[in-house]
Amino acid sequence: MKLVTIAATLLSLSATALAAEPFSADVWADNWFEMRVNGTQVAEDHVPITTERSFNAESFDFEVERPFVVGFIAKDFKQNDTGLEYIGTRRQQMGDGGIILQIKNAAGDTVAVSNAGWQCFVTHTAPLDKSCEGDKNPVAGEGACGFETKAEPAGWDQPGFDASAWPKADVYSAREVSPKGGYDRIDWDPDADLIWGPDLEQSNTVLCRLVVE
């Protein structure tokens, strides 16, 4: 009985391995990202989000069986919950974010790109009033510098999660995002868009997902 069980398990694992396909991905992020496939991390931005002007592109490979879920955590740099950066200097401001990505199969065909077909959920929004940017002593949660945080929904990056209530990703032009730091070294698919939450400046942490058939 044990031998039958072991054989069946090995057969199942073998079938799964044969069904898995190799894929390559290119990602550019302002400022930081983590990419998961079916809930498992396959890549993380190698430049820490605390690095000033941490704009960079990453290229990597992974294997998975179709269909699969791509889950993205994207963060714009902020010093604290005010959502501001360079606090106390002449450069004090709200930062802005943006990500673009493409996934190709072994033949080099594009199977997924970032566009309005993604669904994105914002977990950190700040400042709630943009006049906070000009506050000489911005304090998170006070006055114009209010903020809103939401917990990551359980299982949001895995198959079977109901994301029907999540809004569609917002699409932005290169002029709005001003991508730099590695963006130009990638030959982007013409259909790949820069996406983010509903506000480039106030949406600081964004969860985005897509089912790839």
Side-chain angles (χ1 to χ4, degrees):
M1 188 67 177
K2 287 184 179 180
L3 290 175
V4 173
T5 301
I6 292 173
T9 300
L10 291 174
L11 183 62
S12 176
L13 291 173
S14 177
T16 300
L18 290 174
E21 295 180 60
F23 296 93
S24 62
D26 300 303
V27 179
W28 178 89
D30 177 359
N31 292 95
W32 181 92
F33 80 92
E34 177 188 340
M35 178 171 152
R36 303 174 183 176
V37 172
N38 293 340
T40 299
Q41 184 190 89
V42 296
E44 180 177 348
D45 199 326
H46 77 276
V47 179
I49 193 172
T50 52
T51 304
E52 185 172 338
R53 301 180 65 80
S54 56
F55 317 117
N56 62 290
E58 302 275 5
S59 297
F60 50 92
D61 302 319
F62 63 94
E63 291 189 0
V64 69
E65 181 181 357
R66 300 200 210 197
F68 59 91
V69 173
V70 178
F72 243 84
I73 303 176
K75 296 182 180 182
D76 179 42
F77 173 71
K78 64 184 190 305
Q79 283 184 236
N80 54 39
D81 282 333
T82 62
L84 303 181
E85 55 188 19
Y86 312 124
I87 295 173
T89 73
R90 292 182 178 181
R91 293 190 296 164
Q92 179 173 300
Q93 63 181 5
M94 297 174 287
D96 56 3
I99 57 171
I100 184 172
L101 66 144
Q102 59 189 16
I103 298 174
K104 297 183 178 182
N105 61 18
D109 300 319
T110 301
V111 298
V113 295
S114 50
N115 55 27
W118 288 63
Q119 291 172 286
C120 295
F121 179 79
V122 180
T123 61
H124 190 280
T125 304
L128 297 182
D129 184 337
K130 290 191 175 185
S131 67
C132 170
E133 183 178 50
D135 195 319
K136 292 184 178 180
N137 183 33
V139 177
E142 294 186 8
C145 300
F147 63 93
E148 180 181 56
T149 58
K150 296 179 181 178
E152 287 189 14
W156 70 271
D157 54 359
Q158 299 180 25
F161 178 79
D162 182 8
S164 59
W166 284 26
K168 295 292 186 181
D170 288 86
V171 173
Y172 297 92
S173 68
R175 183 175 182 179
E176 291 173 300
V177 176
S178 298
K180 56 185 78 67
Y183 174 85
D184 291 334
R185 75 172 176 81
I186 303 295
D187 184 16
W188 297 107
D189 187 285
D191 293 327
D193 295 317
L194 287 153
I195 63 172
W196 199 248
D199 193 289
L200 285 175
E201 296 176 322
Q202 291 173 299
S203 302
N204 298 308
T205 301
V206 184
L207 310 180
C208 295
R209 60 171 272 139
L210 178 74
V211 178
V212 180
E213 299 292 345

